[in-house]
């Protein structure tokens, strides 16, 4: 065999060896990926309800039964009542910053509304109308008089529906990023879209913490404002076993009910003062929806405050400034009687 033949033979053997190594690495990666996805599907990665409750239901948190619904509630301060309703895929923690500013002058009540957070409804969700009915039972059980509702995103839609049904109870309505009709599809990065695809098609019961880190950053006007603590409680509370299935039922119920016609009729029935705090960099609900809201709330005096560099969550992205603006607006409302606990 010539020197050239030996060199070519050696090169071929080397190529085959490299091919085997690469093939082995690819097979190992595929095996690890399959094992990871498999254990996720089995629920091995989900935190237990009990673990999340120990971590998140601290300080002023209480659990109250409203009929057969177990509600995670925080009721702080004394004075005129403010009832706070969070958005989808979140819970009462989004109000931490605002509640701290308000509870010195007001009685601030907030709770996780099912299917979110630590509240538990044993029945399948019927969508937003069932949340409105839950609020009705809660308000009656607590013996609340007139109050201000503060709400965000889909919670703001629920608040609008409740106010239309109970004008005698609501003094005023303060909302942010308000969808009165079905929101348009949200454009996300390739990374977030890829994780969503895996979640939808392969692992419907779990989302990794890095997903919340990246997806929440995209919902902020300035991602550097996102705190690790916020990412962590989003991850923990949304991954409670069975949570994603309950959320899917809730979304499907809304598609069949509320989003067929929207909540425009409810907005038109509202006559109390309305504050709309809008993050103009919101990718979920475009800022032109604020102008739509002004038209739809045709019979209500409305003030709109725009925040040019804020996204979908003014209350957690810029809590100090947006909380001051909210408190100043509530302080200026006609006086209401204080209530004890």
């Amino acid at each position: 065999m010539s020197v050239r033949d030996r060199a070519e033979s050696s090169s071929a053997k080397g190529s085959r060896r490299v091919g085997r190594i690469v093939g082995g690495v690819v097979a190992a990666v595929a095996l690890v990926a399959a094992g990871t996805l498999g254990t996720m599907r089995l629920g091995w990665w989900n935190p237990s309800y009990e673990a999340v409750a120990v971590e998140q239901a601290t300080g002023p948190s209480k659990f109250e039964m409203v009929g057969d619904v177990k509600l995670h509630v925080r009721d702080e301060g004394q004075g005129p009542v403010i009832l706070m309703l969070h958005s989808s895929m979140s819970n009462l923690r989004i109000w931490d910053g605002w509640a701290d500013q308000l509870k010195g002058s007001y009685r601030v009540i907030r709770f996780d509304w099912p299917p979110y957070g630590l509240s538990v409804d044993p029945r399948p969700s019927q969508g937003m109308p069932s949340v409105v009915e839950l609020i009705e039972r809660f308000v009656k059980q607590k013996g609340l008089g007139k109050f201000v509702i503060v709400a965000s995103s889909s919670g703001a839609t629920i608040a609008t529906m409740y106010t239309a049904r109970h004008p005698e109870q609501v003094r005023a309505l303060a909302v942010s990023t308000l969808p009165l009709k079905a929101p348009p599809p949200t454009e996300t990065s390739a990374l977030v879209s890829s994780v969503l695809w895996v979640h939808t098609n392969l692992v419907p019961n779990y989302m990794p913490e890095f997903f919340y880190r990246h997806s929440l950053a995209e919902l902020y006007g300035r991602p550097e404002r996102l705190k690790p603590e916020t990412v962590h409680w989003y991850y923990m509370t949304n991954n409670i076993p069975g949570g994603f299935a309950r959320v899917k039922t809730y979304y499907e119920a809304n598609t069949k009910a509320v989003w067929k016609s929207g909540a425009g009729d409810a907005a038109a029935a509202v006559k109390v003062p309305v504050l709309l705090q809008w993050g103009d960099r919101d990718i979920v609900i475009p800022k032109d929806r604020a102008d739509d809201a002004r038209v739809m709330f045709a019979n209500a005096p409305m003030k709109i405050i725009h925040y040019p560099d804020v996204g979908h969550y003014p209350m957690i992205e810029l809590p100090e400034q947006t909380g001051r603006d909210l408190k100043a607006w509530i302080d200026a409302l006609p006086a209401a009687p204080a209530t004890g606990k």
Side-chain angles (χ1 to χ4, degrees), residues 54-72:
V54 167
E55 181 181 284
Q56 296 296 318
T58 58
S61 284
K62 297 183 295 183
F63 288 92
E64 301 182 19
M65 295 303 299
V66 180
D68 56 356
V69 179
K70 177 183 176 182
L71 277 190
H72 175 215

Side-chain angles (χ1 to χ4, degrees), residues 88 113-116 121 123-135 154 158 161 246-259:
S88 295
W113 48 267
Y116 300 113
D121 187 341
R123 297 160 299 180
S125 177
Q126 300 301 309
M128 292 181 187
S130 65
V131 182
V132 172
E133 292 172 359
L134 175 62
I135 297 169
S154 58
I158 292 166
M161 295 164 64
R246 291 187 288 271
V247 169
K248 182 179 179 181
T249 301
Y250 166 77
Y251 279 165
E252 290 173 348
N254 285 332
T255 300
K256 296 174 182 177
V258 177
W259 295 138

Side-chain angles (χ1 to χ4, degrees), residues 36-278:
T36 299
L37 294 176
T39 55
M40 286 179 178
R41 283 184 65 93
L42 290 171
W44 293 6
W45 295 54
N46 295 75
S48 69
Y49 176 91
E50 291 74 19
V52 179
V54 167
E55 181 181 284
Q56 296 296 318
T58 58
S61 284
K62 297 183 295 183
F63 288 92
E64 301 182 19
M65 295 303 299
V66 180
D68 56 356
V69 179
K70 177 183 176 182
L71 277 190
H72 175 215
V73 182
R74 290 190 179 180
D75 186 344
E76 304 171 88
Q78 293 185 342
V81 174
I82 297 173
L83 181 66
M84 311 183 97
L85 303 175
H86 61 78
S87 59
S88 295
M89 303 310 298
S90 68
N91 56 64
L92 58 73
R93 290 293 309 274
I94 71 169
W95 304 120
D96 286 355
W98 284 8
D100 285 344
Q101 295 185 58
L102 294 168
K103 66 186 181 184
S105 304
Y106 298 95
R107 180 183 175 189
V108 180
I109 304 173
R110 45 187 169 137
F111 61 85
D112 298 343
W113 48 267
Y116 300 113
L118 291 167
S119 293
V120 179
D121 187 341
R123 297 160 299 180
S125 177
Q126 300 301 309
M128 292 181 187
S130 65
V131 182
V132 172
E133 292 172 359
L134 175 62
I135 297 169
E136 291 171 338
R137 298 196 301 272
F138 177 78
V139 167
K140 183 178 180 180
Q141 181 169 307
K142 300 286 279 188
L144 301 182
K146 297 191 68 146
F147 51 86
V148 174
I149 299 184
V150 175
S152 176
S153 195
S154 58
T157 309
I158 292 166
T160 301
M161 295 164 64
Y162 181 88
T163 302
R165 288 177 60 162
H166 297 282
E168 78 287 352
Q169 289 185 319
V170 181
R171 294 175 57 210
L173 184 60
V175 297
S176 59
T177 54
L178 169 65
L180 289 171
K181 53 187 176 181
T186 301
E187 294 186 8
T188 59
S189 67
L191 173 62
V192 170
S193 296
S194 298
V195 177
L196 284 170
W197 184 92
V198 171
H199 171 70
T200 301
N201 295 279
L202 300 176
V203 190
N205 58 314
Y206 181 78
M207 279 288 204
E209 191 160 354
F210 80 81
F211 167 78
Y212 294 99
R213 185 161 55 250
H214 289 279
S215 62
L216 285 171
E218 293 182 16
L219 295 178
Y220 275 46
R222 289 174 53 184
E224 66 271 17
R225 290 173 173 154
L226 178 60
K227 298 178 180 179
E229 174 192 11
T230 304
V231 174
H232 180 68
W233 65 250
Y234 257 91
Y235 164 76
M236 291 292 285
T237 54
N238 282 307
N239 277 295
I240 290 172
F244 287 113
R246 291 187 288 271
V247 169
K248 182 179 179 181
T249 301
Y250 166 77
Y251 279 165
E252 290 173 348
N254 285 332
T255 300
K256 296 174 182 177
V258 177
W259 295 138
K260 278 191 173 181
S261 57
D265 289 346
V270 172
K271 297 181 180 179
V272 299
V274 176
L275 172 66
L276 183 55
Q277 294 176 274
W278 204 279

